[in-house]
Amino acid sequence: MESTADSRNLEVASLPAPGSDEELVMQLAAGDAAAFDQIFDRYHKQIYNFIRKQVSERENIEDLVQEVFLRVFKSSKNFDTSKKFSSWVYKIALNEVKRHWKKSAAKQTFSLNTPVGDEGSESERQDFIEDFRDLPENVLERENFSETLKVLIDRLPEKQRTVVILKIYHELTFEEIAEICECPLSTVLSRMRYAVNKLRRWLGVEED
Amino acid sequence: MDCKKIQDVIFNFVYGESSEAELEATRDHLEKCGDCARERQVIEKLLSKIKNCEPQESVSEDCRNRMLSKIKSSLGGEEAPG
């Protein structure tokens, strides 16, 4: 008796919380198509904005968002409900973005010279510093700071840029980002550090 | 915790994701080391500037409906997986 009660408790403990994203995916996987609309409404804005920051061609954003949610629909049975749905859907979105980069001739957003590795080579960085040598010291206070920053973020190597976007704009934890990027936590932290250090140097940000 | 190690854990710290042991050691070091404390301030200021300069773009109702309707038409009446 006791062991049956225990196993029942275990079963209950492993069920997603009522109303949670994970429960909705379970419902979708069980054939409840209405759950899909709720999932879409919870996540389409975040995924739209994540993709918008990763691809330059505006007309592709909606198509990519659609692809992401089609995959959610079709793969809901494969979702491991012990994991977070948010990490899963971002992982799908990142894979779609990568697929798009591969297909697109203009793979990078703003420059053909964008470094593609984790860190980028020293010479590429140096070239870029030269490009921005004339940035005024008070760049952080400028009205067009957001435009400057957008260009700079787009110049980061892909993997660093993804970490920066997921962390700063989507407020995911480093653990979640590690799961999405399928790499160790230490790698995510190191990409964040390299990216922020680059942005600092490029912007000329130092202590007050 | 020394100045070099701080570089590995500073982002965990500023985002409140440090482990308990790491948190205490980082705090201790930042209290004692002026350079690292200033470094932390610069990083926090930059992260905050980046965060505030570009809010999430809103997705119009039209856009939402267009995307959802295209998804459903791509599914072509496909039933939910169950």
Side-chain angles (χ1 to χ4, degrees), chain B residues 12-67:
Chain B
N12 269 341
F13 182 79
V14 300
Y15 282 107
E17 295 179 35
S18 308
S19 66
E20 218 165 291
E22 199 179 270
L23 180 66
E24 203 163 320
T26 310
R27 267 197 198 130
D28 278 353
H29 182 81
L30 292 175
E31 276 173 20
K32 289 173 198 153
C33 177
D35 285 347
C36 288
R38 276 189 293 279
E39 177 76 2
R40 172 210 170 172
Q41 283 177 348
V42 173
I43 288 172
E44 283 184 334
K45 183 179 170 189
L46 177 61
L47 293 173
S48 153
K49 284 277 185 186
I50 296 172
K51 168 83 185 153
N52 294 333
C53 83
E54 203 185 341
Q56 298 279 75
E57 189 172 298
S58 63
V59 178
S60 70
E61 194 65 15
D62 272 359
C63 178
R64 178 249 179 219
N65 293 339
R66 194 167 52 240
M67 290 191 292

Side-chain angles (χ1 to χ4, degrees), chain A residues 116-157:
Chain A
V116 292
D118 262 11
E119 277 49 275
S121 75
E122 190 59 25
S123 62
E124 284 165 329
R125 187 174 67 74
Q126 193 55 44
D127 289 344
F128 187 61
I129 288 171
E130 294 296 315
D131 292 344
F132 282 82
R133 195 169 37 188
D134 296 331
L135 275 180
E137 282 179 15
N138 64 343
V139 70
L140 284 179
E141 311 308 326
R142 286 173 53 159
E143 277 183 22
N144 66 355
F145 172 64
S146 64
E147 281 168 35
T148 306
L149 189 64
K150 184 174 178 353
V151 174
L152 296 181
I153 288 176
D154 285 333
R155 288 299 304 261
L156 290 170

Side-chain angles (χ1 to χ4, degrees), chain A residues 15-29 35-36 38-43 46 72 76 79-81 83-90 172 176:
Chain A
L15 284 175
S20 64
D21 299 336
E22 293 73 23
E23 187 192 53
L24 283 175
V25 189
M26 257 178 74
Q27 288 169 354
L28 175 63
F36 179 75
Q38 289 189 62
I39 293 169
F40 184 81
D41 279 336
R42 284 186 190 184
Y43 278 93
Q46 292 170 50
V72 167
S76 55
F79 174 67
D80 174 356
T81 51
K83 302 268 173 70
K84 284 184 76 169
F85 173 75
S86 57
S87 300
W88 189 60
V89 71
Y90 274 108
L172 301 184
E176 287 168 329

Side-chain angles (χ1 to χ4, degrees), chain A residues 11 26 30 42 44 56 62 67 84 99-100 106 120 131 135 140-141 150 160 163 170 173 188:
Chain A
E11 222 170 87
M26 257 178 74
R42 284 186 190 184
H44 76 275
S56 57
E62 285 185 30
E67 283 304 316
K84 284 184 76 169
R99 215 185 313 267
H100 169 77
D131 292 344
L135 275 180
L140 284 179
E141 311 308 326
K150 184 174 178 353
Q160 291 175 21
V163 170
H170 293 262
T173 65
V188 170

